[in-house]
Amino acid sequence: MQKIKKLVMVFCLFLGLFLIAACQKTDSSYEQAMEKAKQAIIEKKFEQAEGFVELALENKKEDKLAKSYQTQLQFYQEALKLKKDKKEKEAKEKFLSVTKVKDGSNKLVEYAEKEVKLISEPVNKSKNKIPEKKETKKEALWNENKSKELSSFMSSWGESMGQKYKSYTAQESVDFYGLQLPKDIFDDKVKMAVNEQPVSVSWSDDGNGNAEYNLVEVYSDAESQPYLGKHLYFFTFKDGQPIVLITEQNQGNEKNYLHFKETASADLKNGFMAILEGKEASTPEKQTSHFDGETTTALNAIKGTYFENGEGNAVFSIDDEFYHDLVNNKDYPLSSIGKDEQGVYNIAWDIEQFEQIYGARSAGPGPQPFMYRLVSDTNGVVLEDLTGKTYTQK
């Protein structure tokens, strides 16, 4: 009897190991199939992509992501056939169906939106024939010489900010909080958003292109700055106009967006514009504090990044220029900082400058300063807000 029990136990053990190995193999096969499907979509090999998605579903039959991809691919290919048959109205509806599928491929949505736009554009027809379009080569907005001038400017500008910047390209990406940028944007692993709206972006050697933002240069101090202190700048052209975008995002979100906004640095914007106009970009002087003595003293005492109860994700940070709300991804330009007799820091911010960054009335009615009571500064600064929550500087 004892021997039979042992045999049963051994059999159960081997069965468990077999099931674990099978699950691991299933997960691996699913992930490989989905990665190949994404790559096929980027290469616009849609039938091949559909085959890979079907393979993924064989491993995970109820997987929502794979099902969304499958639905999108079916709609998209049907739309292409309708377009080929010159059934533009039906094709447009199918392309729109692609964009309405939740949690699917952002790249297919991008393709479908472009197709809808093309169908919606009026065709210039005459009574006899469609006039031929004369292709005119756009004047280059960017070139190698300007790239070298920007490199020199970024070196001196970074030095003035106490930062060290390195340039990156479409082939050589920067590791920015785990993302490989700009590669992961081009590979559709993360969606670029500007002012919280998703946008299209593509690399451009001369500043021209069909994307909303044509990216010519990438600079970051990620290799030299401490965690939560990194900056990433995209030098772009939008409708032929130069725009410098910045992100400091250090964690993901439900929409899988990487949020950018236009830089608030006048030196950076003016330097980029000067280079475009063929002028010499003035080297900024090393930054010194523009605050009075009281504010400078208070600022130096509490600068840093703060975590609620000293754990989890960072909640806010304070540097020489801004109070950074890291939860809502907002930057508040500092105007003054005072400390009263009860040890409460009153952090006031420049409402006018804030609205220049985020738009009119973005500060809301009756904006208030940030107020924190100093709890301790013995082993790192600990601040307490008006609700009693404590934040530890790291």
Side-chain angles (χ1 to χ4, degrees), residues 22-55:
C23 289
Q24 291 175 339
K25 184 177 179 182
T26 297
D27 288 342
S28 175
S29 299
Y30 164 82
E31 290 172 1
Q32 289 178 13
M34 288 301 293
E35 281 298 316
K36 289 180 179 179
K38 291 176 182 178
Q39 188 59 40
I41 290 171
I42 291 172
E43 296 172 359
K44 296 189 176 182
K45 299 176 180 178
F46 302 116
E47 290 183 0
Q48 191 179 100
E50 195 171 28
F52 285 126
V53 171
E54 289 175 0
L55 183 61

Side-chain angles (χ1 to χ4, degrees), residues 194-209:
V194 176
N195 298 327
E196 300 184 1
Q197 296 299 316
V199 299
S200 63
V201 60
S202 64
W203 187 268
S204 173
D205 291 326
D206 63 1
N208 294 310

Side-chain angles (χ1 to χ4, degrees), residues 268-293:
L268 202 54
K269 290 189 282 190
N270 292 339
F272 189 32
M273 180 60 75
I275 292 170
L276 291 175
E277 294 175 348
K279 301 175 183 177
E280 183 177 355
S282 59
T283 302
E285 296 180 1
K286 191 159 186 178
Q287 198 174 62
T288 57
S289 177
H290 60 272
F291 299 122
D292 59 28

Side-chain angles (χ1 to χ4, degrees), residues 5 9 11 14 31 34 57 63 74 109 111 115 185 193 202 205 226 252-253 262 264 297-298 337 355 363 371:
K5 287 182 178 180
M9 288 176 65
F11 174 77
F14 276 108
E31 290 172 1
M34 288 301 293
L57 284 169
D63 184 71
Q74 289 172 352
V109 170
Y111 292 160
E115 293 287 350
I185 294 175
S202 64
D205 291 326
N253 50 70
E262 186 174 7
T297 301
I337 301 177
E355 291 190 341
M371 299 179 70

Side-chain angles (χ1 to χ4, degrees), residues 161-174:
M161 299 290 290
Q163 299 157 358
K164 187 177 180 180
Y165 283 90
K166 181 180 175 182
S167 66
Y168 299 88
T169 65
Q171 290 74 38
E172 182 185 0
S173 292
V174 58

